[in-house]
Amino acid sequence: MNKPTNSLKHDCNICSHPIEEKVLTIFNPDRFELAAGIVKGECERAWFKCAHCSALSNIRLDNNNAKLKKIESSYYNIDFGGIDLMERFNKIQNLPRDKSDNKARVERIVEFFNNWTAQHSKLNFNLLDIGAGLGVFADEFIKRQLNSNWSLTLIEPDLMAVDHLRKLSLNRVNIFDGRFENFPDKQKFDLCTLNKVLEHIEFPLSFLKGIQRFLDPNFGILYVEVPDSETVNYRKAEDNILGSLHHHLYDVESLGHVLTRAGYIPLLIQRVVENSGKLSIISFSTVRASFVRMASTE
């Protein structure tokens, strides 16, 4: 049975409290809804704000929800169909430092991680990048860490993106073509990154808890970057950030809430204005064992 968006009774997937405040209703299908066969007149969905944790949730009709789930792994084919991914990759990577969100992201992560591990003598590190996309982050990270002993593992479920990643032939990089839930590797990672991924996850608590088993208990760090929920107040309804494949949007409070409930200790959460002008929320977190160890060495 369809769940009408004008209902005031929805439970938040993050804190389980009822959410009642509707902040935006969208009636025109975006390109993903159209690709899923959802036409105008059938695509009603709404963004609701939770009064308890402040997260925004994208409430969709149940039958449309099922249709959209079927096309989630075809994101790049729908978004970039007919566009050469290598050409797009090169265009992004050739942006100057002051225009590139990605270059600033890598610098931000490297600086934080180096400070976090400054008192340790470990020389070899590994990174798990979940939702690697076009590989712009992985490529820039390798360039930034050219003289270090980092190895990277990339997880990407979209087969079009995976084919592109393999063509890049990145050094010291392993690629897993599937969903994170099916990732079989049992090794521990020093750094795990979720760059504009968590907003695509319908049930973020279980997803984040699942990542913990891959973090090194000595000083493993989880980096999360998501679009700022404030976007709903200044972007048009058809903006990508408010699109049908995003389940949740976060602010500083709500991202901290979901990380804490998932068992992490947030070390830094803040709003950033990216070089592109986008508003994003970024966070660095660790697991309790790592936090205790690091705190005891100071």
Side-chain angles (χ1 to χ4, degrees), residues 40-94:
K40 189 171 183 179
E42 299 178 354
C43 79
E44 182 188 358
R45 58 186 172 88
W47 285 96
F48 282 79
K49 183 174 182 178
C50 177
H52 182 259
C53 72
S54 79
L56 297 186
S57 295
N58 193 5
I59 306 300
R60 314 181 296 199
L61 298 175
D62 286 346
N63 61 335
N64 290 347
N65 205 37
K67 291 178 181 178
L68 286 166
K69 284 182 182 298
K70 293 179 181 179
I71 58 104
E72 283 181 343
S73 293
S74 301
Y75 183 95
Y76 282 88
N77 188 45
I78 297 169
D79 207 23
F80 301 128
I83 298 176
D84 186 296
L85 294 188
M86 191 64 72
E87 181 180 334
R88 186 171 181 83
F89 169 87
N90 289 329
K91 181 178 180 180
I92 296 172
Q93 289 301 70
N94 289 330

Side-chain angles (χ1 to χ4, degrees), residues 49 64 81 112 117-118 154 162 215 233 272:
K49 183 174 182 178
N64 290 347
F112 186 96
T117 59
L154 312 182
V162 168
L215 279 179
N233 295 317
V272 297

Side-chain angles (χ1 to χ4, degrees), residues 187-232:
Q187 73 178 110
K188 300 294 185 180
F189 292 88
D190 304 297
L191 175 63
C192 177
T193 52
L194 292 172
N195 296 315
K196 303 295 171 62
V197 170
L198 195 62
E199 65 271 21
H200 290 269
I201 306 302
E202 186 173 6
F203 300 101
L205 274 175
S206 58
F207 183 80
L208 289 169
K209 287 178 180 177
I211 295 174
Q212 281 200 24
R213 70 181 186 273
F214 294 107
L215 279 179
D216 188 306
N218 291 309
F219 46 76
I221 287 290
L222 171 67
Y223 175 78
V224 177
E225 181 176 319
V226 290
D228 191 335
S229 61
E230 188 65 23
T231 297
V232 76

Side-chain angles (χ1 to χ4, degrees), residues 89-114:
F89 169 87
N90 289 329
K91 181 178 180 180
I92 296 172
Q93 289 301 70
N94 289 330
L95 289 171
R97 165 65 184 84
D98 63 345
K99 300 293 184 183
S100 172
D101 293 347
N102 189 56
K103 288 181 173 63
R105 176 180 300 120
V106 171
E107 290 182 9
R108 177 190 307 136
I109 292 172
V110 169
E111 179 181 6
F112 186 96
F113 188 84
N114 287 346

Side-chain angles (χ1 to χ4, degrees), residues 17 39-40 44 136 169 205 219 261:
H17 283 69
V39 298
K40 189 171 183 179
E44 182 188 358
V136 292
S169 299
L205 274 175
F219 46 76
R261 285 202 69 194

Side-chain angles (χ1 to χ4, degrees), residues 17-33:
H17 283 69
I19 50 177
E20 301 180 349
E21 181 186 352
K22 186 191 296 185
V23 296
L24 177 67
T25 304
I26 297 173
F27 297 100
N28 292 322
D30 64 15
R31 58 193 179 284
F32 299 105
E33 287 165 317

